Amino acid sequence: MRHENKQTLTASALCKHTFASQFSRSKTWLNWCACLHLICSLIFRVPRGAVMVSYKLLNPEDVQLSEVNHLVEEEENPVLHAEGASLLPRRVPCSATTGLLVTGCLLLLLCGGWLLGTMFWLHRPSSLLPHRPPPPAQATSKANATEANSLFREACALIPEPWRFDCFPERGVVVTREMCEARNCCFIPAAQPSGSNGVPWCFYSPEFPSYSVESVSDTSLGQKATLVKDVKGYYPADILTLELDVRYETDTRLRVRITDPSSSRYEVPIPVPTVSKKAESPDYSVELSKEPFGLVVRRISTGAVLLNTTVAPLLYADQFLQFSTSLPTEFIYGLGEHRSSFLHDVQWNTLTLWARDVPPVQEKTNLYGVHPFYLAMEKESNAHGFFLLNSNAMDVVLQPPPALTWRTIGGILDFYVFLGPDPGSVIEQYLDVVGRPAMPIYWALGYHLCRWGFNSSNSTWDVVRRMRSNGIPQDVQWNDIDYMDRILDFTFDPTNFATLPNMVKDLHAHNQRYVMVIDAAISSVQPAGSYWPYDEGLRRDVFIKDTEGKTLIGKVWPGLTAFPDFSDNVTHEWWYENLKKFHDQVPFDGLWIDMNEPSNFVDGSTNGCPSNNLEHPPYTPGILGGLLRAKTVCASSLQKQSIHYNLHSLYGLMEGEASASALRRISAKRPFVIARSTFPGQGKYTGHWLGDNRSQWHDLYSSIAGILTFNLLGIPLVGADVCGFSEQPQEELCVRWTQLGAFYPFTRNHNAIDMKPQDPTAFSPLARTAMQQALLLRYSLFPLLYTLFHHAHAQGHTVARPLVFEFPKDTKTYGIDKQFLWGRSLLVTPVLDPGVDFVEGYFPEGLWYDYNTGDSLNSTGEEVRLSAPLDKINLHLREGSIIPTQTPNLTLWVSSGQPLHLITALSNNGTACGDLFWDDGESLDTFETGQYAYIVFSVAQQTMSSRVLRNHLEASYITVQSVSFYGVKEKPSKVLVNSRDATFAYRSNQVLSVADLGLNLSKNFTISWL
């Protein structure tokens, strides 16, 4: 049955589509087309689902291609309706006239068939050359050709501008009509110049040839289909047969793979879940357009179309893979790493992904990390996510309908759709695939101080001492490359940093820690036998090779350098041994891995790069510098697992994994690693800082978008350089930045060489005090922050959280990136402008409390002006929350041992809840091995209860000393603690305080008021 239907479809398509599309553009053949179309419809019975679908505008809600949860199957021949059948007589009387008519019709059919076959043969495209419009046939007049072109252009003009998908994306090219139509595409000049972002001049025509579905079969996880096309595309090495693999992995996760069944291709070497059973009740349906091929994914509960690739053709060549989809919303987030607003612009916005060493100065330039994941907020306040598991250079194009195009230059198409339905669940589902972030060591959440330009260990030490004497919290001291001997990795300057080991011992004696930078590149020009890292690296063959198999040499800080190949496990062991040898001299506590895109001061290598299709692919995405090798190594260079062309953007991930593994072995504690270049899954190994920003107010503001984006991307331990890295620091800016930085998940003050000092002790007493207060406030909130990181590690939650995550039904929150939350409860509203003593913040509907005073604010969903003198950052607690705090001290080691103070923000109905995760702060895998305490706090009916869900010795060291209740509407007559009377205080702003409790955290307790 399937075979017969396939033949019917082919014959019908030839008659109904090929003939009409080839010849109906000429008026000479219009009547013939109409006649033969009618004859075809009588002779051939075409299955309803097999009609050709053109790449014209399809509204997502108009796509009706199959039944829910099933790929389209071939239908059996339809049964005529009774009323249709009644139009035909039961018997056809036979007569001479009838015989003549039948004979005439048969002759007409024979002539028409001959004419159709002849003209089709004349106009068939060559299968040996890239597709181009058919040349004029000898029998076709110039007038007919002109008329055909006119009809083609009229069809093109019917495509609305927002729905025009770029057929000529090459940059720096002024596209002409001839160039465009040579690709069988439409050409209509637009307002903006050709080659710039905006409405494309050259776009896909309704008749652009693409893949069709040849066959479909069920699998244990879903379905597989064979996709074929007859006409080669305009990029070389086009692949004409593809395999589609649709996997219903979970009820909220769909995976789709499109591969070349005849040849294996590079795939991203990161672990992802394997599934053995098809989801039983998926929240999505999958539908298939057969000719041309297209995929539609819907949310069953609302009918929202989350993915619709019928809007433009699929392209799949060796070095050019592209597909487009409509989007159900313009609210798109993620797609890192770029400097941009948190909410992406969908007005012809192209975002390029390719790891690049460049300061985050220019908007939307491809930066250090690559994260092909986006989260979308739908109209019904649901959310979904999309992840393309591909590490090759790519462009992601957003356009107004809204729609999105993925355009990559290698690998395969392997993507996931996450159904949420709330934004937090989307992130959890994404991290189920790429891996949840590591639980940080406790001191990682303290204040870090660094600069490029500490010219000696003594000058570094002096700053540490000044911080102590001024009572300013600091947990970690860093050094940039200044500490190295001739800027060589795994060395320290024996003259200027001779006291470095002693300084580190002093830090440890004061419960502080030391972190230093390590660059990826290794000097290659030291005398033989004098520099173990390079000598041993050569012996073990750990460096990236050029195409001739020789060690590729570039140039970085120490001069000529080689680049370790972290895709090789041998390199990991060599890396560990280098770190261990240095740790024996300087007992450092953490690593800062920099320059790991990898960065190179020459393009490619000192010997250049070969001229081939890896260095100059048929299409190059919008990479800064225009070349894949710009400020990095040759794309054609060789690594253990693949060519650098494929592995480039994984370099930071692989170095991060090697570094975290080495630290675990060296210290037997949780590793602390901060990396510049990142890729999906890297949160398992490292945190991230946002790179070399500037001391400018706009950089202060843009850091919030970066912090929120990386929390979406599964790397919650993230921060920006407080006060700015380059340019001279400004006192007011540095105060405001320290206040905001106190609420970065990772907070570090860092600035550049030749800049004035910007540590807190470098400023006036007023500024210094304001910074001190901000940092002490952070330290007091350590129990809350630590618990949030536990939930990130255990459940995949965000730490710094956009308001839209907690208020998805409030569309006013969708674009907010000047405020954010810690978890679900603490709202941060920083000052981001100079010379002001107020700030305006948005408060979603509900009851909010000033964190410091307990004053209530009942919002209907509105902007509120808040007082913000220079020494204040505004914090508000959301109703229904309980947060644990501690009396702060100069280090987290000391302050984490202080008694707890619980702050309760009651809802209007008098309820609240919160929790605390507690362990020793540094041991490996405490959650996985059950070596922790977990306590839940709740309030209902004027009673707070503490329930110890899991106990541990660490909890017994901590007491609950006091509790404040915000929003107690009437003054109590009595307060009972574990059924015993207790003293209390009640203020006119409805704040009830109970002190001097001395309650053991490891035991349940109750506090009630009457």
Side-chain angles (χ1 to χ4, degrees):
M1 178 64 73
R2 292 181 183 273
H3 182 65
E4 292 172 356
N5 282 347
K6 180 179 175 183
Q7 288 181 328
T8 302
L9 173 60
T10 304
S12 176
L14 284 174
C15 189
K16 293 179 65 178
H17 177 69
T18 308
F19 185 92
S21 65
Q22 294 288 340
F23 305 115
S24 63
R25 297 168 189 162
S26 170
K27 288 184 177 179
T28 305
W29 301 105
L30 287 178
N31 291 334
W32 275 103
C33 284
C35 179
L36 290 177
H37 191 176
L38 176 60
I39 295 169
C40 287
S41 67
L42 293 173
I43 296 175
F44 302 110
R45 301 174 69 184
V46 183
R48 175 167 51 87
V51 176
M52 172 74 79
V53 179
S54 296
Y55 292 110
K56 58 187 177 182
L57 172 60
L58 291 176
N59 292 325
E61 54 272 12
D62 296 335
V63 179
Q64 299 288 345
L65 298 174
S66 78
E67 297 298 321
V68 170
N69 284 333
H70 295 283
L71 294 171
V72 171
E73 300 284 350
E74 297 278 5
E75 296 186 6
E76 296 182 359
N77 292 337
V79 179
L80 293 175
H81 295 292
E83 55 269 28
S86 66
L87 297 177
L88 298 176
R90 292 181 181 276
R91 292 173 179 266
V92 180
C94 185
S95 66
T97 304
T98 303
L100 289 172
L101 287 173
V102 170
T103 302
C105 286
L106 289 173
L107 290 172
L108 181 62
L109 283 172
L110 289 171
C111 292
W114 172 83
L115 184 61
L116 172 61
T118 302
M119 299 306 291
F120 179 75
W121 176 80
L122 288 171
H123 286 264
R124 77 188 191 281
S126 169
S127 62
L128 301 177
L129 298 173
H131 179 75
R132 55 176 58 89
Q138 294 179 359
T140 305
S141 67
K142 290 184 178 180
N144 290 340
T146 302
E147 183 66 21
N149 286 336
S150 177
L151 291 173
F152 174 77
R153 291 169 186 172
E154 287 177 11
C156 291
L158 294 176
I159 300 176
E161 286 190 349
W163 287 98
R164 295 176 181 175
F165 292 87
D166 200 348
C167 181
F168 215 113
E170 285 81 357
R171 288 164 179 78
V173 177
V174 178
V175 182
T176 65
R177 182 179 300 279
E178 291 74 18
M179 295 164 63
C180 178
E181 292 184 350
R183 294 187 172 188
N184 200 32
C185 291
C186 299
F187 182 81
I188 299 178
Q192 81 290 336
S194 172
S196 62
N197 277 351
V199 181
W201 289 30
C202 182
F203 53 95
Y204 294 107
S205 68
E207 303 301 328
F208 189 90
S210 186
Y211 295 90
S212 60
V213 178
E214 183 180 66
S215 63
V216 179
S217 61
D218 291 334
T219 69
S220 61
L221 294 179
Q223 292 86 14
K224 284 188 177 181
T226 299
L227 313 180
V228 297
K229 70 175 181 179
D230 299 323
V231 180
K232 288 196 172 184
Y234 48 84
Y235 286 109
D238 207 6
I239 300 170
L240 300 182
T241 301
L242 300 172
E243 181 177 86
L244 170 72
D245 186 2
V246 180
R247 302 177 183 179
Y248 299 66
E249 293 201 336
T250 72
D251 288 346
T252 56
R253 185 176 82 223
L254 172 72
R255 186 180 186 184
V256 177
R257 289 166 50 87
I258 303 177
T259 57
D260 179 358
S262 65
S263 178
S264 63
R265 294 175 59 81
Y266 164 76
E267 298 187 29
V268 180
I270 65 172
V272 294
T274 56
V275 177
S276 59
K277 181 181 177 183
K278 181 180 177 180
E280 295 181 355
S281 302
D283 294 344
Y284 48 85
S285 66
V286 181
E287 307 166 1
L288 193 66
S289 168
K290 304 199 71 173
E291 191 172 357
F293 162 71
L295 198 65
V296 178
V297 178
R298 295 179 185 273
R299 183 186 298 279
I300 291 176
S301 62
T302 64
V305 175
L306 311 184
L307 185 75
N308 176 10
T309 70
T310 68
V311 296
L314 166 68
L315 282 78
Y316 205 118
D318 182 42
Q319 292 181 272
F320 190 90
L321 296 80
Q322 176 180 287
F323 69 99
S324 302
T325 177
S326 63
L327 295 170
T329 174
E330 68 272 25
F331 299 110
I332 304 297
Y333 313 86
L335 299 173
E337 181 178 10
H338 306 88
R339 170 171 158 149
S340 68
S341 57
F342 177 55
L343 174 64
H344 284 301
D345 180 10
V346 298
Q347 300 299 314
W348 304 107
N349 180 15
T350 298
L351 300 170
T352 299
L353 278 61
W354 179 252
R356 178 64 151 83
D357 172 10
V358 60
V361 175
Q362 185 175 344
E363 301 291 320
K364 301 175 184 177
T365 297
N366 59 296
L367 296 180
Y368 315 107
V370 166
H371 295 268
F373 166 83
Y374 69 77
L375 179 142
M377 289 300 305
E378 302 162 32
K379 293 179 181 177
E380 300 85 0
S381 76
N382 290 323
H384 73 272
F386 185 100
F387 172 45
L388 177 62
L389 181 53
N390 185 291
S391 62
N392 291 90
M394 71 177 74
D395 285 332
V396 184
V397 183
L398 293 161
Q399 61 190 75
L404 182 147
T405 296
W406 295 96
R407 185 184 299 136
T408 184
I409 61 172
I412 65 171
L413 296 180
D414 185 358
F415 58 83
Y416 294 82
V417 182
F418 307 103
L419 272 287
D422 61 274
S425 296
V426 171
I427 303 306
E428 293 174 32
Q429 293 154 16
Y430 170 56
L431 297 183
D432 284 342
V433 171
V434 301
R436 294 173 184 158
M439 183 67 188
I441 196 165
Y442 77 95
W443 51 259
L445 307 184
Y447 182 62
H448 301 242
L449 187 57
C450 183
R451 76 158 296 156
W452 180 20
F454 283 129
N455 56 18
S456 69
S457 51
N458 286 337
S459 66
T460 309
W461 206 344
D462 286 344
V463 172
V464 174
R465 293 186 180 110
R466 287 200 302 270
M467 292 284 287
R468 293 173 188 161
S469 64
N470 281 276
I472 301 173
Q474 181 192 2
D475 261 83
V476 192
Q477 181 60 51
W478 295 43
N479 274 126
D480 208 322
I481 57 176
D482 317 278
Y483 79 93
M484 297 179 184
D485 180 15
R486 293 163 291 156
I487 324 183
L488 302 177
D489 277 355
F490 312 113
T491 68
F492 67 95
D493 184 337
T495 303
N496 295 322
F497 280 80
T499 60
L500 180 60
N502 292 331
M503 185 194 80
V504 173
K505 290 179 183 178
D506 177 70
L507 289 169
H508 291 167
H510 288 82
N511 302 306
Q512 294 174 300
R513 301 294 179 263
Y514 179 69
V515 171
M516 80 285 178
V517 71
I518 290 288
D519 290 335
I522 301 295
S523 174
S524 62
V525 292
Q526 304 308 307
S530 67
Y531 186 46
W532 193 88
Y534 182 70
D535 295 336
E536 187 65 13
L538 280 181
R539 192 183 72 80
R540 300 191 194 184
D541 197 25
V542 305
F543 297 118
I544 293 176
K545 304 283 193 301
D546 62 21
T547 53
E548 296 179 354
K550 301 175 182 177
T551 299
L552 184 142
I553 301 299
K555 186 177 182 181
V556 194
W557 294 114
L560 299 182
T561 52
F563 298 85
D565 175 11
F566 289 103
S567 75
D568 190 345
N569 287 333
V570 173
T571 308
H572 288 217
E573 185 65 23
W574 165 85
W575 191 249
Y576 157 73
E577 290 179 26
N578 277 287
L579 289 170
K580 180 65 169 64
K581 286 175 177 289
F582 187 70
H583 188 269
D584 291 341
Q585 301 176 67
V586 180
F588 60 89
D589 301 284
L591 286 176
W592 170 20
I593 52 175
D594 196 5
M595 310 291 286
N596 57 344
E597 292 73 30
S599 178
N600 188 359
F601 294 169
V602 298
D603 290 348
S605 79
T606 54
N607 293 325
C609 301
S611 181
N612 57 30
N613 63 348
L614 297 176
E615 301 298 336
H616 304 282
Y619 174 79
T620 300
I623 296 162
L624 181 65
L627 297 170
L628 297 179
R629 63 178 177 268
K631 288 201 74 175
T632 190
V633 302
C634 298
S636 57
S637 57
L638 307 177
Q639 296 186 237
K640 176 73 172 181
Q641 294 191 24
S642 187
I643 51 177
H644 193 74
Y645 180 92
N646 294 326
L647 297 177
H648 169 79
S649 293
L650 294 168
Y651 197 90
L653 169 66
M654 291 176 169
E655 186 194 11
E657 181 181 6
S659 300
S661 174
L663 286 183
R664 288 172 70 103
R665 294 169 65 183
I666 291 169
S667 68
K669 297 177 181 178
R670 297 174 205 167
F672 174 80
V673 184
I674 294 293
R676 190 167 73 177
S677 185
T678 59
F679 192 80
Q682 193 154 334
K684 294 181 293 184
Y685 311 115
T686 81
H688 174 61
W689 98 103
L690 297 177
D692 297 339
N693 58 5
R694 300 169 301 179
S695 295
Q696 294 187 6
W697 288 92
H698 184 74
D699 290 63
L700 171 67
Y701 155 67
S702 65
S703 71
I704 299 177
I707 300 301
L708 296 178
T709 295
F710 270 91
N711 270 264
L712 264 64
L713 300 176
I715 307 179
L717 188 63
V718 58
D721 282 345
V722 172
C723 299
F725 174 71
S726 65
E727 303 185 9
Q728 295 296 347
Q730 310 161 48
E731 181 166 284
E732 181 191 7
L733 173 61
C734 203
V735 170
R736 294 303 193 189
W737 212 321
T738 303
Q739 291 170 342
L740 171 60
F743 292 91
Y744 291 159
F746 163 63
T747 184
R748 181 187 72 163
N749 182 318
H750 179 49
N751 66 333
I753 196 168
D754 297 329
M755 299 297 113
K756 294 179 181 178
Q758 62 184 33
D759 63 89
T761 68
F763 295 100
S764 69
L766 179 63
R768 188 187 313 149
T769 300
M771 295 180 193
Q772 177 193 45
Q773 291 174 351
L775 295 174
L776 288 171
L777 179 57
R778 176 189 179 88
Y779 276 50
S780 72
L781 289 163
F782 169 74
L784 169 64
L785 184 59
Y786 194 67
T787 299
L788 292 175
F789 268 99
H790 159 70
H791 289 304
H793 171 64
Q795 288 93 32
H797 293 183
T798 53
V799 175
R801 189 170 301 172
L803 272 70
V804 61
F805 272 47
E806 292 297 321
F807 303 95
K809 294 183 178 180
D810 184 352
T811 57
K812 293 178 183 177
T813 66
Y814 285 18
I816 291 177
D817 56 9
K818 294 186 175 181
Q819 297 169 275
F820 59 95
L821 294 156
W822 265 14
R824 62 174 299 274
S825 57
L826 187 65
L827 177 62
V828 183
T829 308
V831 173
L832 303 173
D833 299 300
V836 298
D837 59 2
F838 67 90
V839 63
E840 292 185 349
Y842 180 74
F843 287 80
E845 182 178 0
L847 188 59
W848 298 86
Y849 297 92
D850 183 292
Y851 172 80
N852 294 301
T853 66
D855 293 344
S856 63
L857 189 162
N858 205 343
S859 175
T860 58
E862 57 196 297
E863 290 268 350
V864 178
R865 175 174 285 202
L866 306 168
S867 174
L870 188 61
D871 61 352
K872 179 181 180 181
I873 182 170
N874 277 276
L875 301 178
H876 287 81
L877 279 175
R878 181 183 180 184
E879 63 173 315
S881 60
I882 301 174
I883 66 168
T885 70
Q886 288 177 309
T887 302
N889 209 288
L890 298 188
T891 66
L892 286 177
W893 176 260
V894 177
S895 62
S896 64
Q898 302 302 306
L900 290 176
H901 172 61
L902 304 179
I903 303 178
T904 303
L906 297 175
S907 64
N908 267 323
N909 62 8
T911 61
C913 62
D915 62 348
L916 174 67
F917 175 86
W918 208 248
D919 61 10
D920 68 7
E922 59 186 12
S923 293
L924 295 167
D925 306 322
T926 58
F927 175 66
E928 290 75 10
T929 58
Q931 301 300 307
Y932 66 92
Y934 184 66
I935 299 97
V936 172
F937 309 103
S938 62
V939 174
Q941 299 179 342
Q942 300 183 173
T943 299
M944 167 180 270
S945 299
S946 164
R947 290 185 298 146
V948 180
L949 299 187
R950 187 177 192 89
N951 214 338
H952 188 265
L953 180 64
E954 290 293 331
S956 66
Y957 301 146
I958 304 298
T959 61
V960 176
Q961 190 66 16
S962 58
V963 181
S964 293
F965 298 92
Y966 295 171
V968 177
K969 296 177 181 179
E970 296 180 358
K971 182 178 180 179
S973 60
K974 180 183 295 187
V975 171
L976 302 176
V977 177
N978 289 333
S979 301
R980 295 182 179 180
D981 286 345
T983 58
F984 65 92
Y986 183 82
R987 300 200 303 266
S988 59
N989 62 348
Q990 300 184 340
V991 174
L992 170 65
S993 298
V994 186
D996 301 323
L997 294 172
L999 298 169
N1000 193 317
L1001 182 63
S1002 64
K1003 296 181 180 179
N1004 296 340
F1005 64 81
T1006 61
I1007 302 173
S1008 57
W1009 61 95
L1010 306 174

PDB file of all heavy atoms in Angstrom, residues 95-107:
ATOM      1  N   SER A  95     -22.780   4.643 -26.230  1.00  0.00           N
ATOM      2  CA  SER A  95     -23.282   5.053 -27.536  1.00  0.00           C
ATOM      3  C   SER A  95     -22.116   5.390 -28.416  1.00  0.00           C
ATOM      4  O   SER A  95     -20.977   5.509 -27.962  1.00  0.00           O
ATOM      5  CB  SER A  95     -24.217   6.259 -27.411  1.00  0.00           C
ATOM      6  OG  SER A  95     -23.483   7.386 -26.974  1.00  0.00           O
ATOM      7  N   ALA A  96     -22.353   5.593 -29.696  1.00  0.00           N
ATOM      8  CA  ALA A  96     -21.277   5.983 -30.624  1.00  0.00           C
ATOM      9  C   ALA A  96     -20.697   7.323 -30.243  1.00  0.00           C
ATOM     10  O   ALA A  96     -19.480   7.556 -30.306  1.00  0.00           O
ATOM     11  CB  ALA A  96     -21.828   6.029 -32.067  1.00  0.00           C
ATOM     12  N   THR A  97     -21.607   8.215 -29.840  1.00  0.00           N
ATOM     13  CA  THR A  97     -21.116   9.549 -29.446  1.00  0.00           C
ATOM     14  C   THR A  97     -20.175   9.430 -28.258  1.00  0.00           C
ATOM     15  O   THR A  97     -19.098  10.042 -28.208  1.00  0.00           O
ATOM     16  CB  THR A  97     -22.303  10.462 -29.083  1.00  0.00           C
ATOM     17  OG1 THR A  97     -23.188  10.508 -30.198  1.00  0.00           O
ATOM     18  CG2 THR A  97     -21.817  11.846 -28.716  1.00  0.00           C
ATOM     19  N   THR A  98     -20.613   8.608 -27.333  1.00  0.00           N
ATOM     20  CA  THR A  98     -19.757   8.429 -26.142  1.00  0.00           C
ATOM     21  C   THR A  98     -18.423   7.826 -26.522  1.00  0.00           C
ATOM     22  O   THR A  98     -17.356   8.228 -26.031  1.00  0.00           O
ATOM     23  CB  THR A  98     -20.467   7.521 -25.120  1.00  0.00           C
ATOM     24  OG1 THR A  98     -21.709   8.087 -24.778  1.00  0.00           O
ATOM     25  CG2 THR A  98     -19.596   7.342 -23.872  1.00  0.00           C
ATOM     26  N   GLY A  99     -18.454   6.859 -27.436  1.00  0.00           N
ATOM     27  CA  GLY A  99     -17.200   6.253 -27.857  1.00  0.00           C
ATOM     28  C   GLY A  99     -16.268   7.239 -28.509  1.00  0.00           C
ATOM     29  O   GLY A  99     -15.052   7.236 -28.280  1.00  0.00           O
ATOM     30  N   LEU A 100     -16.825   8.104 -29.372  1.00  0.00           N
ATOM     31  CA  LEU A 100     -15.997   9.132 -30.013  1.00  0.00           C
ATOM     32  C   LEU A 100     -15.397  10.074 -28.974  1.00  0.00           C
ATOM     33  O   LEU A 100     -14.239  10.483 -29.057  1.00  0.00           O
ATOM     34  CB  LEU A 100     -16.825   9.912 -31.040  1.00  0.00           C
ATOM     35  CG  LEU A 100     -17.201   9.136 -32.322  1.00  0.00           C
ATOM     36  CD1 LEU A 100     -18.183   9.947 -33.149  1.00  0.00           C
ATOM     37  CD2 LEU A 100     -15.949   8.842 -33.125  1.00  0.00           C
ATOM     38  N   LEU A 101     -16.234  10.445 -27.993  1.00  0.00           N
ATOM     39  CA  LEU A 101     -15.740  11.372 -26.962  1.00  0.00           C
ATOM     40  C   LEU A 101     -14.614  10.731 -26.153  1.00  0.00           C
ATOM     41  O   LEU A 101     -13.592  11.354 -25.852  1.00  0.00           O
ATOM     42  CB  LEU A 101     -16.882  11.779 -26.024  1.00  0.00           C
ATOM     43  CG  LEU A 101     -17.913  12.749 -26.611  1.00  0.00           C
ATOM     44  CD1 LEU A 101     -19.071  12.938 -25.648  1.00  0.00           C
ATOM     45  CD2 LEU A 101     -17.255  14.094 -26.917  1.00  0.00           C
ATOM     46  N   VAL A 102     -14.820   9.434 -25.820  1.00  0.00           N
ATOM     47  CA  VAL A 102     -13.780   8.753 -25.051  1.00  0.00           C
ATOM     48  C   VAL A 102     -12.503   8.650 -25.858  1.00  0.00           C
ATOM     49  O   VAL A 102     -11.389   8.896 -25.372  1.00  0.00           O
ATOM     50  CB  VAL A 102     -14.255   7.353 -24.627  1.00  0.00           C
ATOM     51  CG1 VAL A 102     -13.109   6.541 -24.044  1.00  0.00           C
ATOM     52  CG2 VAL A 102     -15.392   7.460 -23.619  1.00  0.00           C
ATOM     53  N   THR A 103     -12.633   8.304 -27.172  1.00  0.00           N
ATOM     54  CA  THR A 103     -11.447   8.210 -28.028  1.00  0.00           C
ATOM     55  C   THR A 103     -10.739   9.548 -28.117  1.00  0.00           C
ATOM     56  O   THR A 103      -9.500   9.642 -28.036  1.00  0.00           O
ATOM     57  CB  THR A 103     -11.851   7.742 -29.436  1.00  0.00           C
ATOM     58  OG1 THR A 103     -12.521   6.483 -29.321  1.00  0.00           O
ATOM     59  CG2 THR A 103     -10.613   7.588 -30.321  1.00  0.00           C
ATOM     60  N   GLY A 104     -11.535  10.609 -28.247  1.00  0.00           N
ATOM     61  CA  GLY A 104     -10.929  11.950 -28.324  1.00  0.00           C
ATOM     62  C   GLY A 104     -10.195  12.310 -27.056  1.00  0.00           C
ATOM     63  O   GLY A 104      -9.099  12.880 -27.085  1.00  0.00           O
ATOM     64  N   CYS A 105     -10.796  11.985 -25.931  1.00  0.00           N
ATOM     65  CA  CYS A 105     -10.125  12.291 -24.660  1.00  0.00           C
ATOM     66  C   CYS A 105      -8.830  11.518 -24.506  1.00  0.00           C
ATOM     67  O   CYS A 105      -7.825  12.037 -24.025  1.00  0.00           O
ATOM     68  CB  CYS A 105     -11.060  11.961 -23.486  1.00  0.00           C
ATOM     69  SG  CYS A 105     -12.393  13.157 -23.283  1.00  0.00           S
ATOM     70  N   LEU A 106      -8.849  10.223 -24.969  1.00  0.00           N
ATOM     71  CA  LEU A 106      -7.630   9.434 -24.875  1.00  0.00           C
ATOM     72  C   LEU A 106      -6.530  10.020 -25.744  1.00  0.00           C
ATOM     73  O   LEU A 106      -5.362  10.096 -25.329  1.00  0.00           O
ATOM     74  CB  LEU A 106      -7.911   7.986 -25.293  1.00  0.00           C
ATOM     75  CG  LEU A 106      -8.756   7.164 -24.313  1.00  0.00           C
ATOM     76  CD1 LEU A 106      -9.108   5.814 -24.925  1.00  0.00           C
ATOM     77  CD2 LEU A 106      -8.021   6.987 -22.992  1.00  0.00           C
ATOM     78  N   LEU A 107      -6.895  10.445 -26.992  1.00  0.00           N
ATOM     79  CA  LEU A 107      -5.900  11.093 -27.848  1.00  0.00           C
ATOM     80  C   LEU A 107      -5.370  12.371 -27.202  1.00  0.00           C
ATOM     81  O   LEU A 107      -4.183  12.678 -27.259  1.00  0.00           O
ATOM     82  CB  LEU A 107      -6.511  11.405 -29.223  1.00  0.00           C
ATOM     83  CG  LEU A 107      -6.804  10.180 -30.110  1.00  0.00           C
ATOM     84  CD1 LEU A 107      -7.583  10.599 -31.353  1.00  0.00           C
ATOM     85  CD2 LEU A 107      -5.493   9.504 -30.515  1.00  0.00           C
TER      86      LEU A 107
END
